[in-house]
Amino acid sequence: MTSIPSRPIISSPRRVAIVGAGLISNIHVTGVRRAGAEVVAIVDADERRAREKAVQLGVPAWFTTQRAMLDAMGPNAVHVLTPPATHAALCVEAMESGAHVYVEKPLAESVEDCDRMIAAAKRTSRELCV
């Protein structure tokens, strides 16, 4: 019989940022919260969209660039929910800042970008999940 630990296996607070404020972001925010993590920021290049999504979902901060969010918030994980052409750059940047990454499919648009993302995950010892 397997026993269930009485406390979470991950002891540090899990702080997650959502990059991309489209419809799928609602599902990601709900899932993150159900998992017991805190959603600390929403990022979207469209300022109005980022602000409105943060207010709608009760997220305390919003940004128009991932770089500004990473510098200000220092999340443990980032969910990348943007168009596929942007995945590689955003994922590599997030991992290089110390965050684990969950990215919507497809991983990237080219094998070269996929290889670059995988190499960044290995180099930074961060998880890259699709």
Side-chain angles (χ1 to χ4, degrees):
M1 183 164 106
T2 303
S3 65
I4 298 172
S6 60
R7 61 181 171 74
I9 294 171
I10 299 173
S11 59
S12 64
R14 292 176 286 166
R15 297 167 40 85
V16 178
I18 306 294
V19 179
L23 289 175
I24 197 71
S25 64
N26 296 9
I27 294 168
H28 282 259
V29 168
T30 299
V32 166
R33 288 176 173 159
R34 282 188 183 157
E38 175 188 10
V39 179
V40 297
I42 300 284
V43 179
D44 199 281
D46 181 325
E47 182 177 0
R48 180 191 56 78
R49 190 174 185 173
R51 181 181 60 250
E52 288 177 0
K53 184 64 70 168
V55 169
Q56 172 196 357
L57 298 175
V59 174
W62 56 270
F63 297 85
T64 57
T65 69
Q66 178 178 260
R67 178 79 267 152
M69 179 278 297
L70 292 168
D71 291 343
M73 305 304 289
N76 305 95
V78 172
H79 286 217
V80 176
L81 316 178
T82 57
T86 65
H87 288 181
L90 290 169
C91 291
V92 169
E93 180 179 60
M95 289 183 287
E96 288 177 346
S97 81
H100 299 287
V101 173
Y102 179 92
V103 59
E104 278 288 324
K105 61 185 184 224
L107 180 60
E109 290 190 320
S110 70
V111 171
E112 294 78 18
D113 278 346
C114 291
D115 289 343
R116 189 163 57 98
M117 294 163 75
I118 293 165
K122 289 177 181 176
R123 183 177 68 254
T124 61
S125 299
R126 300 293 94 189
E127 296 291 327
L128 174 62
C129 307
V130 181

PDB file of all heavy atoms in Angstrom, residues 50-78:
ATOM      1  N   ALA A  50      -4.514  42.182 -21.692  1.00  0.00           N
ATOM      2  CA  ALA A  50      -3.801  41.699 -20.497  1.00  0.00           C
ATOM      3  C   ALA A  50      -4.477  42.216 -19.233  1.00  0.00           C
ATOM      4  O   ALA A  50      -4.735  41.461 -18.290  1.00  0.00           O
ATOM      5  CB  ALA A  50      -2.339  42.138 -20.542  1.00  0.00           C
ATOM      6  N   ARG A  51      -4.771  43.499 -19.209  1.00  0.00           N
ATOM      7  CA  ARG A  51      -5.397  44.121 -18.034  1.00  0.00           C
ATOM      8  C   ARG A  51      -6.783  43.526 -17.783  1.00  0.00           C
ATOM      9  O   ARG A  51      -7.103  43.147 -16.646  1.00  0.00           O
ATOM     10  CB  ARG A  51      -5.489  45.635 -18.230  1.00  0.00           C
ATOM     11  CG  ARG A  51      -6.105  46.377 -17.036  1.00  0.00           C
ATOM     12  CD  ARG A  51      -6.211  47.885 -17.262  1.00  0.00           C
ATOM     13  NE  ARG A  51      -7.043  48.197 -18.419  1.00  0.00           N
ATOM     14  CZ  ARG A  51      -6.615  48.693 -19.578  1.00  0.00           C
ATOM     15  NH1 ARG A  51      -5.340  48.929 -19.764  1.00  0.00           N
ATOM     16  NH2 ARG A  51      -7.453  48.934 -20.565  1.00  0.00           N
ATOM     17  N   GLU A  52      -7.596  43.437 -18.820  1.00  0.00           N
ATOM     18  CA  GLU A  52      -8.953  42.913 -18.653  1.00  0.00           C
ATOM     19  C   GLU A  52      -8.953  41.454 -18.187  1.00  0.00           C
ATOM     20  O   GLU A  52      -9.755  41.066 -17.347  1.00  0.00           O
ATOM     21  CB  GLU A  52      -9.747  43.062 -19.950  1.00  0.00           C
ATOM     22  CG  GLU A  52     -10.129  44.504 -20.229  1.00  0.00           C
ATOM     23  CD  GLU A  52     -10.865  44.701 -21.550  1.00  0.00           C
ATOM     24  OE1 GLU A  52     -11.097  43.700 -22.282  1.00  0.00           O
ATOM     25  OE2 GLU A  52     -11.205  45.862 -21.849  1.00  0.00           O
ATOM     26  N   LYS A  53      -8.051  40.648 -18.721  1.00  0.00           N
ATOM     27  CA  LYS A  53      -7.982  39.236 -18.319  1.00  0.00           C
ATOM     28  C   LYS A  53      -7.545  39.131 -16.863  1.00  0.00           C
ATOM     29  O   LYS A  53      -8.102  38.330 -16.098  1.00  0.00           O
ATOM     30  CB  LYS A  53      -7.020  38.467 -19.223  1.00  0.00           C
ATOM     31  CG  LYS A  53      -6.965  36.991 -18.946  1.00  0.00           C
ATOM     32  CD  LYS A  53      -8.288  36.273 -19.211  1.00  0.00           C
ATOM     33  CE  LYS A  53      -8.603  36.193 -20.668  1.00  0.00           C
ATOM     34  NZ  LYS A  53      -9.710  35.266 -20.982  1.00  0.00           N
ATOM     35  N   ALA A  54      -6.584  39.934 -16.458  1.00  0.00           N
ATOM     36  CA  ALA A  54      -6.130  39.912 -15.062  1.00  0.00           C
ATOM     37  C   ALA A  54      -7.266  40.299 -14.126  1.00  0.00           C
ATOM     38  O   ALA A  54      -7.498  39.630 -13.100  1.00  0.00           O
ATOM     39  CB  ALA A  54      -4.935  40.841 -14.879  1.00  0.00           C
ATOM     40  N   VAL A  55      -8.003  41.328 -14.470  1.00  0.00           N
ATOM     41  CA  VAL A  55      -9.136  41.763 -13.637  1.00  0.00           C
ATOM     42  C   VAL A  55     -10.212  40.679 -13.624  1.00  0.00           C
ATOM     43  O   VAL A  55     -10.717  40.305 -12.565  1.00  0.00           O
ATOM     44  CB  VAL A  55      -9.698  43.118 -14.150  1.00  0.00           C
ATOM     45  CG1 VAL A  55     -11.022  43.440 -13.476  1.00  0.00           C
ATOM     46  CG2 VAL A  55      -8.680  44.230 -13.906  1.00  0.00           C
ATOM     47  N   GLN A  56     -10.569  40.164 -14.783  1.00  0.00           N
ATOM     48  CA  GLN A  56     -11.611  39.140 -14.901  1.00  0.00           C
ATOM     49  C   GLN A  56     -11.298  37.917 -14.042  1.00  0.00           C
ATOM     50  O   GLN A  56     -12.181  37.364 -13.389  1.00  0.00           O
ATOM     51  CB  GLN A  56     -11.755  38.710 -16.362  1.00  0.00           C
ATOM     52  CG  GLN A  56     -12.666  37.523 -16.572  1.00  0.00           C
ATOM     53  CD  GLN A  56     -12.476  36.881 -17.961  1.00  0.00           C
ATOM     54  OE1 GLN A  56     -11.713  37.346 -18.788  1.00  0.00           O
ATOM     55  NE2 GLN A  56     -13.181  35.791 -18.186  1.00  0.00           N
ATOM     56  N   LEU A  57     -10.028  37.487 -14.029  1.00  0.00           N
ATOM     57  CA  LEU A  57      -9.654  36.257 -13.335  1.00  0.00           C
ATOM     58  C   LEU A  57      -9.073  36.494 -11.939  1.00  0.00           C
ATOM     59  O   LEU A  57      -8.661  35.548 -11.276  1.00  0.00           O
ATOM     60  CB  LEU A  57      -8.667  35.466 -14.192  1.00  0.00           C
ATOM     61  CG  LEU A  57      -9.208  35.013 -15.551  1.00  0.00           C
ATOM     62  CD1 LEU A  57      -8.118  34.338 -16.367  1.00  0.00           C
ATOM     63  CD2 LEU A  57     -10.412  34.098 -15.377  1.00  0.00           C
ATOM     64  N   GLY A  58      -9.032  37.742 -11.513  1.00  0.00           N
ATOM     65  CA  GLY A  58      -8.521  38.036 -10.184  1.00  0.00           C
ATOM     66  C   GLY A  58      -7.032  37.784 -10.038  1.00  0.00           C
ATOM     67  O   GLY A  58      -6.557  37.363  -8.981  1.00  0.00           O
ATOM     68  N   VAL A  59      -6.286  38.060 -11.091  1.00  0.00           N
ATOM     69  CA  VAL A  59      -4.830  37.905 -11.073  1.00  0.00           C
ATOM     70  C   VAL A  59      -4.235  39.267 -10.715  1.00  0.00           C
ATOM     71  O   VAL A  59      -4.627  40.282 -11.291  1.00  0.00           O
ATOM     72  CB  VAL A  59      -4.322  37.398 -12.442  1.00  0.00           C
ATOM     73  CG1 VAL A  59      -2.810  37.363 -12.492  1.00  0.00           C
ATOM     74  CG2 VAL A  59      -4.923  36.021 -12.737  1.00  0.00           C
ATOM     75  N   PRO A  60      -3.290  39.311  -9.773  1.00  0.00           N
ATOM     76  CA  PRO A  60      -2.844  40.589  -9.230  1.00  0.00           C
ATOM     77  C   PRO A  60      -2.011  41.476 -10.149  1.00  0.00           C
ATOM     78  O   PRO A  60      -1.918  42.679  -9.903  1.00  0.00           O
ATOM     79  CB  PRO A  60      -2.011  40.181  -8.014  1.00  0.00           C
ATOM     80  CG  PRO A  60      -1.571  38.793  -8.280  1.00  0.00           C
ATOM     81  CD  PRO A  60      -2.683  38.173  -9.086  1.00  0.00           C
ATOM     82  N   ALA A  61      -1.398  40.933 -11.201  1.00  0.00           N
ATOM     83  CA  ALA A  61      -0.533  41.760 -12.045  1.00  0.00           C
ATOM     84  C   ALA A  61      -0.704  41.404 -13.513  1.00  0.00           C
ATOM     85  O   ALA A  61      -1.054  40.275 -13.850  1.00  0.00           O
ATOM     86  CB  ALA A  61       0.927  41.563 -11.636  1.00  0.00           C
ATOM     87  N   TRP A  62      -0.432  42.377 -14.364  1.00  0.00           N
ATOM     88  CA  TRP A  62      -0.470  42.151 -15.801  1.00  0.00           C
ATOM     89  C   TRP A  62       0.670  42.909 -16.450  1.00  0.00           C
ATOM     90  O   TRP A  62       1.120  43.938 -15.938  1.00  0.00           O
ATOM     91  CB  TRP A  62      -1.820  42.553 -16.406  1.00  0.00           C
ATOM     92  CG  TRP A  62      -2.210  43.974 -16.124  1.00  0.00           C
ATOM     93  CD1 TRP A  62      -2.931  44.425 -15.062  1.00  0.00           C
ATOM     94  CD2 TRP A  62      -1.876  45.124 -16.896  1.00  0.00           C
ATOM     95  NE1 TRP A  62      -3.064  45.783 -15.124  1.00  0.00           N
ATOM     96  CE2 TRP A  62      -2.424  46.244 -16.249  1.00  0.00           C
ATOM     97  CE3 TRP A  62      -1.160  45.314 -18.073  1.00  0.00           C
ATOM     98  CZ2 TRP A  62      -2.283  47.535 -16.739  1.00  0.00           C
ATOM     99  CZ3 TRP A  62      -1.018  46.604 -18.561  1.00  0.00           C
ATOM    100  CH2 TRP A  62      -1.590  47.689 -17.898  1.00  0.00           C
ATOM    101  N   PHE A  63       1.149  42.379 -17.575  1.00  0.00           N
ATOM    102  CA  PHE A  63       2.292  42.954 -18.283  1.00  0.00           C
ATOM    103  C   PHE A  63       2.075  42.812 -19.782  1.00  0.00           C
ATOM    104  O   PHE A  63       1.319  41.954 -20.222  1.00  0.00           O
ATOM    105  CB  PHE A  63       3.581  42.201 -17.911  1.00  0.00           C
ATOM    106  CG  PHE A  63       3.943  42.309 -16.457  1.00  0.00           C
ATOM    107  CD1 PHE A  63       3.390  41.442 -15.526  1.00  0.00           C
ATOM    108  CD2 PHE A  63       4.840  43.284 -16.022  1.00  0.00           C
ATOM    109  CE1 PHE A  63       3.713  41.542 -14.181  1.00  0.00           C
ATOM    110  CE2 PHE A  63       5.168  43.390 -14.678  1.00  0.00           C
ATOM    111  CZ  PHE A  63       4.609  42.519 -13.751  1.00  0.00           C
ATOM    112  N   THR A  64       2.793  43.629 -20.559  1.00  0.00           N
ATOM    113  CA  THR A  64       2.726  43.520 -22.014  1.00  0.00           C
ATOM    114  C   THR A  64       3.938  42.792 -22.589  1.00  0.00           C
ATOM    115  O   THR A  64       3.956  42.492 -23.781  1.00  0.00           O
ATOM    116  CB  THR A  64       2.592  44.900 -22.686  1.00  0.00           C
ATOM    117  OG1 THR A  64       3.698  45.717 -22.280  1.00  0.00           O
ATOM    118  CG2 THR A  64       1.269  45.556 -22.292  1.00  0.00           C
ATOM    119  N   THR A  65       4.947  42.513 -21.773  1.00  0.00           N
ATOM    120  CA  THR A  65       6.086  41.711 -22.227  1.00  0.00           C
ATOM    121  C   THR A  65       6.428  40.675 -21.165  1.00  0.00           C
ATOM    122  O   THR A  65       6.326  40.929 -19.967  1.00  0.00           O
ATOM    123  CB  THR A  65       7.354  42.549 -22.506  1.00  0.00           C
ATOM    124  OG1 THR A  65       7.867  43.059 -21.285  1.00  0.00           O
ATOM    125  CG2 THR A  65       7.078  43.667 -23.499  1.00  0.00           C
ATOM    126  N   GLN A  66       6.833  39.524 -21.646  1.00  0.00           N
ATOM    127  CA  GLN A  66       7.253  38.478 -20.724  1.00  0.00           C
ATOM    128  C   GLN A  66       8.498  38.921 -19.944  1.00  0.00           C
ATOM    129  O   GLN A  66       8.619  38.658 -18.758  1.00  0.00           O
ATOM    130  CB  GLN A  66       7.542  37.172 -21.471  1.00  0.00           C
ATOM    131  CG  GLN A  66       8.038  36.074 -20.540  1.00  0.00           C
ATOM    132  CD  GLN A  66       8.292  34.776 -21.232  1.00  0.00           C
ATOM    133  OE1 GLN A  66       7.455  33.894 -21.167  1.00  0.00           O
ATOM    134  NE2 GLN A  66       9.430  34.652 -21.911  1.00  0.00           N
ATOM    135  N   ARG A  67       9.431  39.603 -20.616  1.00  0.00           N
ATOM    136  CA  ARG A  67      10.669  40.032 -19.951  1.00  0.00           C
ATOM    137  C   ARG A  67      10.370  40.889 -18.725  1.00  0.00           C
ATOM    138  O   ARG A  67      10.938  40.685 -17.654  1.00  0.00           O
ATOM    139  CB  ARG A  67      11.555  40.802 -20.938  1.00  0.00           C
ATOM    140  CG  ARG A  67      12.841  41.349 -20.354  1.00  0.00           C
ATOM    141  CD  ARG A  67      13.919  40.288 -20.208  1.00  0.00           C
ATOM    142  NE  ARG A  67      13.910  39.686 -18.896  1.00  0.00           N
ATOM    143  CZ  ARG A  67      14.319  38.433 -18.625  1.00  0.00           C
ATOM    144  NH1 ARG A  67      14.741  37.640 -19.563  1.00  0.00           N
ATOM    145  NH2 ARG A  67      14.275  37.956 -17.409  1.00  0.00           N
ATOM    146  N   ALA A  68       9.471  41.861 -18.872  1.00  0.00           N
ATOM    147  CA  ALA A  68       9.116  42.726 -17.743  1.00  0.00           C
ATOM    148  C   ALA A  68       8.489  41.909 -16.620  1.00  0.00           C
ATOM    149  O   ALA A  68       8.781  42.123 -15.435  1.00  0.00           O
ATOM    150  CB  ALA A  68       8.162  43.830 -18.196  1.00  0.00           C
ATOM    151  N   MET A  69       7.640  40.955 -16.980  1.00  0.00           N
ATOM    152  CA  MET A  69       7.003  40.105 -15.970  1.00  0.00           C
ATOM    153  C   MET A  69       8.029  39.240 -15.254  1.00  0.00           C
ATOM    154  O   MET A  69       8.019  39.130 -14.027  1.00  0.00           O
ATOM    155  CB  MET A  69       5.932  39.236 -16.624  1.00  0.00           C
ATOM    156  CG  MET A  69       5.209  38.291 -15.684  1.00  0.00           C
ATOM    157  SD  MET A  69       6.098  36.746 -15.330  1.00  0.00           S
ATOM    158  CE  MET A  69       6.182  36.001 -16.949  1.00  0.00           C
ATOM    159  N   LEU A  70       8.940  38.619 -15.994  1.00  0.00           N
ATOM    160  CA  LEU A  70       9.958  37.771 -15.377  1.00  0.00           C
ATOM    161  C   LEU A  70      10.803  38.574 -14.396  1.00  0.00           C
ATOM    162  O   LEU A  70      11.082  38.120 -13.283  1.00  0.00           O
ATOM    163  CB  LEU A  70      10.845  37.133 -16.447  1.00  0.00           C
ATOM    164  CG  LEU A  70      10.178  36.101 -17.348  1.00  0.00           C
ATOM    165  CD1 LEU A  70      11.079  35.771 -18.534  1.00  0.00           C
ATOM    166  CD2 LEU A  70       9.808  34.845 -16.575  1.00  0.00           C
ATOM    167  N   ASP A  71      11.193  39.776 -14.796  1.00  0.00           N
ATOM    168  CA  ASP A  71      12.010  40.619 -13.933  1.00  0.00           C
ATOM    169  C   ASP A  71      11.262  41.055 -12.678  1.00  0.00           C
ATOM    170  O   ASP A  71      11.837  41.099 -11.596  1.00  0.00           O
ATOM    171  CB  ASP A  71      12.494  41.862 -14.694  1.00  0.00           C
ATOM    172  CG  ASP A  71      13.498  41.536 -15.783  1.00  0.00           C
ATOM    173  OD1 ASP A  71      14.083  40.427 -15.773  1.00  0.00           O
ATOM    174  OD2 ASP A  71      13.692  42.393 -16.669  1.00  0.00           O
ATOM    175  N   ALA A  72       9.986  41.349 -12.816  1.00  0.00           N
ATOM    176  CA  ALA A  72       9.203  41.859 -11.688  1.00  0.00           C
ATOM    177  C   ALA A  72       8.658  40.768 -10.774  1.00  0.00           C
ATOM    178  O   ALA A  72       8.586  40.950  -9.557  1.00  0.00           O
ATOM    179  CB  ALA A  72       8.037  42.714 -12.208  1.00  0.00           C
ATOM    180  N   MET A  73       8.276  39.631 -11.353  1.00  0.00           N
ATOM    181  CA  MET A  73       7.522  38.639 -10.594  1.00  0.00           C
ATOM    182  C   MET A  73       8.313  37.383 -10.232  1.00  0.00           C
ATOM    183  O   MET A  73       7.977  36.695  -9.276  1.00  0.00           O
ATOM    184  CB  MET A  73       6.252  38.230 -11.350  1.00  0.00           C
ATOM    185  CG  MET A  73       5.345  39.392 -11.740  1.00  0.00           C
ATOM    186  SD  MET A  73       4.833  40.434 -10.362  1.00  0.00           S
ATOM    187  CE  MET A  73       3.704  39.356  -9.505  1.00  0.00           C
ATOM    188  N   GLY A  74       9.306  37.024 -11.004  1.00  0.00           N
ATOM    189  CA  GLY A  74      10.107  35.839 -10.733  1.00  0.00           C
ATOM    190  C   GLY A  74       9.300  34.570 -10.516  1.00  0.00           C
ATOM    191  O   GLY A  74       9.469  33.890  -9.508  1.00  0.00           O
ATOM    192  N   PRO A  75       8.438  34.192 -11.465  1.00  0.00           N
ATOM    193  CA  PRO A  75       7.616  32.997 -11.280  1.00  0.00           C
ATOM    194  C   PRO A  75       8.439  31.709 -11.315  1.00  0.00           C
ATOM    195  O   PRO A  75       9.517  31.671 -11.900  1.00  0.00           O
ATOM    196  CB  PRO A  75       6.652  33.042 -12.471  1.00  0.00           C
ATOM    197  CG  PRO A  75       7.445  33.732 -13.532  1.00  0.00           C
ATOM    198  CD  PRO A  75       8.252  34.772 -12.797  1.00  0.00           C
ATOM    199  N   ASN A  76       7.911  30.671 -10.665  1.00  0.00           N
ATOM    200  CA  ASN A  76       8.540  29.348 -10.719  1.00  0.00           C
ATOM    201  C   ASN A  76       8.232  28.665 -12.045  1.00  0.00           C
ATOM    202  O   ASN A  76       8.993  27.806 -12.494  1.00  0.00           O
ATOM    203  CB  ASN A  76       8.009  28.429  -9.608  1.00  0.00           C
ATOM    204  CG  ASN A  76       8.158  29.021  -8.243  1.00  0.00           C
ATOM    205  OD1 ASN A  76       7.216  29.624  -7.761  1.00  0.00           O
ATOM    206  ND2 ASN A  76       9.311  28.874  -7.632  1.00  0.00           N
ATOM    207  N   ALA A  77       7.092  29.016 -12.635  1.00  0.00           N
ATOM    208  CA  ALA A  77       6.657  28.385 -13.879  1.00  0.00           C
ATOM    209  C   ALA A  77       5.926  29.407 -14.743  1.00  0.00           C
ATOM    210  O   ALA A  77       5.326  30.349 -14.229  1.00  0.00           O
ATOM    211  CB  ALA A  77       5.747  27.199 -13.597  1.00  0.00           C
ATOM    212  N   VAL A  78       5.997  29.158 -16.051  1.00  0.00           N
ATOM    213  CA  VAL A  78       5.317  30.010 -17.025  1.00  0.00           C
ATOM    214  C   VAL A  78       4.536  29.102 -17.959  1.00  0.00           C
ATOM    215  O   VAL A  78       5.058  28.086 -18.429  1.00  0.00           O
ATOM    216  CB  VAL A  78       6.346  30.844 -17.834  1.00  0.00           C
ATOM    217  CG1 VAL A  78       5.675  31.577 -18.980  1.00  0.00           C
ATOM    218  CG2 VAL A  78       7.076  31.825 -16.924  1.00  0.00           C
TER     219      VAL A  78
END
